[in-house]
Amino acid sequence: MSNIKKIGVLTSGGDCSGLNAVIRAVVHRAILHYGWEVYGIYDGTKGLMDRPMRYKKLTIADVDTNILRQGGTFLGTVNSGDPFAYPMPDGSKKDRSNEVIDGYNQLGLNALISMGGDGSMAILRRMAQQGGINFVGVPKTIDNDLGATETAVGYDTAVNVATEALDRLQPTAASHHRVMILEVMGRDAGHIALASGIAGGADVILMPEIPWNMAAVKAKIDSLRGNGRNFALVVVSEAVKTEKNEPVMHKFADGQVRYGGIGQYLGTRIAQETGAETRVTVLGHVQRGGQPSPHDRVLASSFGVHAVDLVAQGKFDRIVVWRNRGLTDVPITEAIASYRAVEVDGAMVQTARGLGICLGDR
Ligand code: F6P
């Protein structure tokens, strides 16, 4: 048997729906099955970096009833707090990784479980290697761009939200004879756009993986009109570039830069080229919040239980994944190394083409 007694759990990187369900599963499995103590670390690795440290010893009561259903992460998270290049108040960057490692040791943790996407996993693994931390990862990302797992926590909910948006846009598009453009997230993969576009009956889906041209989009809208259709639904992934192959970015007051604005660009261009009345909806963080879908709850629960079991077996430096209708785990290095963009010849793209959806290239 392992000599594990105390484990830490934290959430890292951008949030998504289903994180709380993972934490709940970790607490349930660790306490009820193994009799361990579980420490929830606040705000990702920052809770271990700050002095005094910020954490809570979690009980079953902390994660009972409502947590499973809630979006976000009750532990909090950060996506701009890389301990190896931590942003300091004077604008400089400082390596504070040893403070996090020291926090882990001070708390007397025997292992750490963290949710994260590819960026967070790379950072956490580096820190685990440096500090001898027994680390297990759980994949989460609405972008679904981790190659090691078929799906990650948060993706299904995001697709549900985007699909519901299309369901709501369709009647108003038809009522007003408009072309509705829906901009969805995905840095830098078009999975949300493709899946929600198919599910939501889009006429045009633009993704960063498939270069697009205005002539193809115009031809599709013209042909819909020719067939008597008075509206169109267009889904565009935020990472799609303009006709001049430029990304459309938004700079926030704090200097951070994110994708945002390709929907508006497209709305203007479609109006110019087709004469259609266009309106643009930018879904943004709505895709990350709200109640997790049943699929994400099941995935999160399975991942949480399996992560704890890996700790119990002394299998560290691994990430839990979903493959071939089942749970398994792979080395974190493998997960970081394999990025998953939309496969341009894959089943989903073939399905979209088979349905006559314009993907912007023809
Ligand atoms: O990676 C997840 C994601 O939601 C992307 O789809 C999006 O581009 C980005 O994070 C937004 O980041 P932030 O929450 O920092 O605005």
Side-chain angles (χ1 to χ4, degrees):
M1 276 305 284
S2 73
N3 51 6
I4 300 288
K5 290 191 172 55
K6 259 187 189 186
I7 65 167
V9 61
L10 60 84
T11 43
S12 184
D15 76 338
C16 63
S17 285
L19 296 179
N20 284 326
V22 179
I23 300 166
R24 171 182 179 265
V26 166
V27 172
H28 274 241
R29 186 67 170 166
I31 295 179
L32 297 180
H33 188 74
Y34 294 106
W36 300 339
E37 292 179 7
V38 183
Y39 286 77
I41 314 296
Y42 289 122
D43 298 329
T45 50
K46 195 159 186 314
L48 288 175
M49 183 192 288
D50 289 346
R51 299 293 178 271
M53 282 185 282
R54 293 180 300 109
Y55 60 86
K56 183 180 195 308
K57 185 177 172 188
L58 299 174
T59 64
I60 295 293
D62 288 321
V63 294
D64 212 10
T65 64
N66 285 334
I67 282 297
L68 173 70
R69 297 164 233 289
Q70 287 172 3
T73 158
F74 77 94
L75 293 176
T77 187
V78 280
N79 66 355
S80 52
D82 177 358
F84 290 99
Y86 195 80
M88 302 301 285
D90 66 359
S92 65
K93 299 272 167 83
K94 188 180 172 193
D95 183 350
R96 299 186 63 184
S97 55
N98 282 331
E99 294 166 62
V100 178
I101 294 163
D102 182 55
Y104 171 88
N105 289 324
Q106 269 191 44
L107 254 184
L109 298 177
N110 305 125
L112 184 67
I113 294 174
S114 175
M115 286 134 264
D118 52 353
S120 304
M121 282 302 148
I123 292 166
L124 287 160
R125 179 181 192 260
R126 186 176 162 198
M127 205 161 52
Q129 295 289 304
Q130 178 176 309
I133 293 174
N134 292 326
F135 178 62
V136 171
V138 173
K140 65 88 218 168
T141 163
I142 66 163
D143 302 340
N144 207 25
D145 55 359
L146 276 167
T149 186
E150 283 162 17
T151 186
V153 174
Y155 170 64
D156 185 67
T157 305
V159 171
N160 283 0
V161 172
T163 303
E164 188 192 338
L166 287 167
D167 291 346
R168 289 173 185 272
L169 286 170
Q170 188 276 327
T172 174
S175 304
H176 286 270
H177 315 282
R178 285 172 171 162
V179 175
M180 290 291 191
I181 293 105
L182 178 69
E183 180 182 314
V184 299
M185 280 185 165
R187 184 179 54 187
D188 293 270
H191 297 290
I192 298 175
L194 182 57
S196 65
I198 292 172
D203 302 297
V204 179
I205 303 172
L206 302 184
M207 300 167 277
E209 293 86 350
I210 299 181
W212 68 282
N213 64 78
M214 197 61 224
V217 175
K218 175 176 159 43
K220 176 67 186 180
I221 290 169
D222 287 347
S223 95
L224 289 171
R225 274 198 187 124
N227 289 328
R229 178 92 89 69
N230 69 348
F231 74 93
L233 295 178
V234 177
V235 183
V236 60
S237 183
E238 62 178 3
V240 166
K241 297 197 171 71
T242 65
E243 290 153 285
K244 288 185 181 154
N245 207 28
E246 287 162 349
V248 186
M249 314 295 291
H250 180 79
K251 190 171 183 178
F252 292 91
D254 63 3
Q256 294 195 58
V257 177
R258 295 286 184 273
Y259 283 120
I262 186 67
Q264 203 59 56
Y265 170 89
L266 204 60
T268 303
R269 289 291 294 121
I270 290 175
Q272 286 167 347
E273 293 289 326
T274 68
E277 193 177 6
T278 59
R279 290 291 184 272
V280 180
T281 302
V282 181
L283 216 40
H285 292 78
V286 172
Q287 292 155 102
R288 298 223 310 237
Q291 290 196 321
S293 67
H295 181 278
D296 267 333
R297 296 182 204 191
V298 173
L299 189 70
S301 302
S302 310
F303 278 176
V305 168
H306 192 66
V308 172
D309 288 347
L310 284 180
V311 171
Q313 292 157 27
K315 289 189 181 170
F316 303 115
D317 199 20
R318 300 185 73 77
I319 185 167
V320 300
V321 295
W322 190 265
R323 279 184 184 176
N324 303 321
R325 298 170 68 91
L327 266 177
T328 184
D329 47 270
V330 297
I332 291 180
T333 44
E334 183 184 325
I336 298 166
S338 56
Y339 180 78
R340 189 166 83 100
V342 167
E343 288 146 353
V344 295
D345 297 319
M348 296 270 288
V349 168
Q350 280 174 30
T351 299
R353 292 201 195 281
L355 290 167
I357 297 171
C358 167
L359 300 182
D361 55 341
R362 54 178 103 132

